[in-house]
Amino acid sequence: SDFLTVRPPKRANKPAMLPERPSLSPALPAALLLSVFLPTPTLSGVLPSSPPPWPPTFNMSMSTITMQCNSSGWSSPERGAQFGIVSYDWSNAKNQWAAEKPMDCEERLVKQARMTSDLNPSSHIFVYRNLVKALPWFTTVREKLDDPAYSGWFLRFDPSRKKPNTSSPYHVPDCARENATKCSIFYHDQEQTPEVPTPANPHPDGNCTEGGCDCGTQPCGEYLFDHRNGSMLREWILKEIIGGATGLGDSHIDGFFIDDYWCSNLLCEQDPSIAGCPCNDPVQGPTEVDANSQIDMGLSDEDIADLTLAWNETMGAAQREILRLGGYTWSLFANEDNANASPITLDRSTCAKQLREACMPESLWQQHPVLFGVQQNGTSLTQFGQDLAFFLLARGNYSWLGWGTWGMTWPFNPEPAHGELPPLPHGFPRPDALEENYGAPVGLCREDAPDIFVREWTAAYITLDCANFRAKIEFKESGLS
């Protein structure tokens, strides 16, 4: 077998300690470490990778992470409570909140967090936020969109770009599809926006009930904050979006996944290494927004650069405020800036290289919070034993293991994110090995023989033979952990 778990007999003698041997890893300077896992430079306002403000845990069950999104209804709080971090996406319960009048996505995220936290207070619960898009299905945002006193907080359509004598004067409608008299001067597209079902579009991304979609006085759509507004908008975001009653002001919420970012071609030309460069999601400007948004808003390339820098300052201020309030945000994990959610996975071809770097105390694996992913093919875990051993060998104080795809959604709901059906009627079960007690690490891993890496934990010995791609977990005598 490529994965072996060894348990001592009830009367076994205490296993001998692993002999101390010098590591075969070269003593590389810190600047050359981790060539397969390097941080991406960010603009100056955004914080570098930073650990959470809570104490680390080596409890395997609580060293797990998932991002959940069940659009048909509530995500299973029982399954979510099994994870150390569970992050709930904005589309969670979308079929429910899209039908409300007005829409109540924000409040349902809080209820989902409370249901999960009540089952396991040790789980850290994150909810969705967006500082690029002003989403009117969030009550806090909708109230400002509806108030003319705050009109300067939002980007507008450029009337000079209107196409005369057409049903849609811009590349996106400025009026509600179901009500041609309900229009907005503020730019908005309809990407992932709830709509009233029509014969042409019977299954929109969120069904509003008869009578129209209720996002307040504005048509439903993805609006955009104008971060050039300055301190007034930024202070409101910190106080209400981050620290308010539906954010860290609620004791059941521990952090956020903050989605989307601004990208500027001019800034990328100056420094192509900036996170998010080149701008291709889909073009420069706000990410995951209609590709013609710059044209419809009449923005110059210089405007896009100014908006990118202003958003960057807001994002950095939000990160600092989150940490100050005792919370955490996904973008502070290593290499997860700019709304990334992509874990590090073990590859057989780079196994030894990854572990040689991870075994060094100066490495990012040991110094930064890192997300690991288990390899899978949609219906099974393809190398779980090796992935678990890799995690136990390489992890630092702040490390989490989850589903090994972008988004890290463990498929335990009937309808996971991105429309992927789970392999089993009730989703994919967590392996029992995630509930085992391995204790705490006794020092770092080391290369005990060429391409063979070992690490002692207080309750087990971990071995991964990268040359033959075989893993072994040998538990110590019961009671020694």
Side-chain angles (χ1 to χ4, degrees):
S1 174
D2 292 332
F3 176 49
L4 181 63
T5 300
V6 179
R7 299 182 185 277
K10 292 183 179 180
R11 297 181 179 276
N13 294 326
K14 180 178 178 180
M17 299 294 285
L18 289 171
E20 291 295 330
R21 298 183 185 177
S23 170
L24 300 180
S25 306
L28 297 177
L32 297 180
L33 295 177
L34 215 57
S35 59
V36 295
F37 179 37
L38 295 173
T40 305
T42 58
L43 296 173
S44 58
V46 176
L47 295 182
S49 171
S50 308
W54 59 72
T57 180
F58 294 101
N59 179 313
M60 187 62 236
S61 182
M62 291 293 97
S63 298
T64 52
I65 187 170
T66 184
M67 184 186 296
Q68 292 306 127
C69 170
N70 179 28
S71 63
S72 63
W74 298 113
S75 186
S76 168
E78 293 80 12
R79 294 295 301 276
Q82 293 179 301
F83 290 81
I85 295 177
V86 54
S87 184
Y88 290 108
D89 186 68
W90 70 281
S91 288
N92 196 64
K94 190 174 189 178
N95 287 356
Q96 295 177 357
W97 60 254
E100 290 297 316
K101 298 186 184 307
M103 296 185 189
D104 61 352
C105 172
E106 190 172 5
E107 291 79 7
R108 287 180 186 269
L109 284 173
V110 174
K111 183 174 181 179
Q112 179 74 74
R114 290 175 177 175
M115 290 191 297
T116 307
S117 180
D118 286 346
L119 293 175
N120 185 4
S122 296
S123 291
H124 295 286
I125 316 299
F126 290 12
V127 294
Y128 180 94
R129 287 294 185 266
N130 200 312
L131 305 188
V132 172
K133 299 174 183 176
L135 302 176
W137 34 88
F138 281 72
T139 303
T140 306
V141 174
R142 181 173 62 246
E143 290 174 347
K144 298 306 180 188
L145 266 170
D146 285 350
D147 190 338
Y150 299 95
S151 61
W153 288 10
F154 309 100
L155 291 169
R156 302 186 179 205
F157 286 107
D158 180 358
S160 70
R161 303 302 176 102
K162 277 189 174 183
K163 297 176 288 185
N165 303 319
T166 61
S167 59
S168 180
Y170 302 101
H171 292 88
V172 293
D174 59 343
C175 302
R177 296 185 190 276
E178 73 276 8
N179 183 354
T181 66
K182 189 175 184 179
C183 306
S184 180
I185 62 173
F186 302 121
Y187 177 85
H188 59 283
D189 71 6
Q190 285 72 39
E191 302 288 329
Q192 304 182 67
T193 296
E195 298 180 52
V196 174
T198 64
N201 185 20
H203 303 291
D205 198 348
N207 295 345
C208 303
T209 55
E210 293 183 6
C213 301
D214 191 347
C215 289
T217 63
Q218 308 290 333
C220 286
E222 298 182 318
Y223 294 80
L224 297 170
F225 289 115
D226 187 347
H227 290 282
R228 298 171 300 181
N229 178 275
S231 60
M232 186 177 179
L233 170 60
R234 188 169 297 142
E235 289 171 2
W236 172 80
I237 286 174
L238 300 184
K239 181 179 179 181
E240 299 297 336
I241 300 295
I242 300 301
T246 60
L248 292 175
D250 189 288
S251 61
H252 299 84
I253 294 174
D254 301 294
F256 307 103
F257 177 81
I258 302 179
D259 204 1
D260 292 305
Y261 59 96
W262 279 85
C263 189
S264 160
N265 287 341
L266 291 179
L267 295 176
C268 288
E269 289 171 4
Q270 296 173 16
D271 184 359
S273 68
I274 292 174
C277 294
C279 303
N280 56 11
D281 190 11
V283 294
Q284 76 160 343
T287 55
E288 296 187 296
V289 170
D290 184 85
N292 297 292
S293 64
Q294 181 178 357
I295 297 171
D296 285 348
M297 290 185 285
L299 298 175
S300 67
D301 289 351
E302 289 74 18
D303 289 330
I304 297 293
D306 289 343
L307 282 159
T308 302
L309 292 171
W311 162 82
N312 181 77
E313 290 298 323
T314 300
M315 185 65 179
Q319 291 174 323
R320 288 187 287 273
E321 181 68 0
I322 290 167
L323 292 175
R324 187 187 74 81
L325 294 173
Y328 197 61
T329 180
W330 200 285
S331 61
L332 292 177
F333 294 123
N335 278 10
E336 305 299 333
D337 45 14
N338 279 2
N340 193 20
S342 184
I344 300 296
T345 55
L346 171 65
D347 186 275
R348 180 171 183 169
S349 65
T350 58
C351 173
K353 179 181 178 63
Q354 288 175 300
L355 283 171
R356 287 190 186 109
E357 293 163 340
C359 293
M360 296 182 180
E362 306 91 347
S363 71
L364 291 181
W365 305 81
Q366 304 304 324
Q367 299 297 322
H368 291 259
V370 178
L371 300 182
F372 293 70
V374 293
Q375 296 277 22
Q376 47 76 41
N377 60 13
T379 59
S380 64
L381 301 179
T382 56
Q383 54 178 51
F384 177 72
Q386 293 90 333
D387 288 335
L388 177 60
F390 177 64
F391 176 78
L392 294 172
L393 287 166
R395 69 158 295 174
N397 287 341
Y398 292 98
S399 301
W400 293 266
L401 182 65
W403 202 252
T405 57
W406 194 98
M408 302 190 71
T409 300
W410 198 284
F412 58 73
N413 282 302
E415 190 179 353
H418 311 300
E420 297 173 359
L421 294 177
L424 299 174
H426 301 291
F428 199 94
R430 282 169 45 120
D432 292 340
L434 295 181
E435 316 309 323
E436 291 280 7
N437 174 23
Y438 303 98
V442 181
L444 299 178
C445 60
R446 68 173 185 271
E447 192 169 3
D448 202 47
D451 295 336
I452 298 176
F453 296 85
V454 298
R455 190 180 196 182
E456 182 185 359
W457 284 58
T458 53
Y461 300 112
I462 316 299
T463 303
L464 182 56
D465 180 347
C466 288
N468 297 296
F469 211 52
R470 293 176 180 170
K472 180 180 179 181
I473 295 178
E474 183 178 4
F475 284 91
K476 296 180 179 180
E477 184 177 358
S478 177
L480 293 180
S481 59

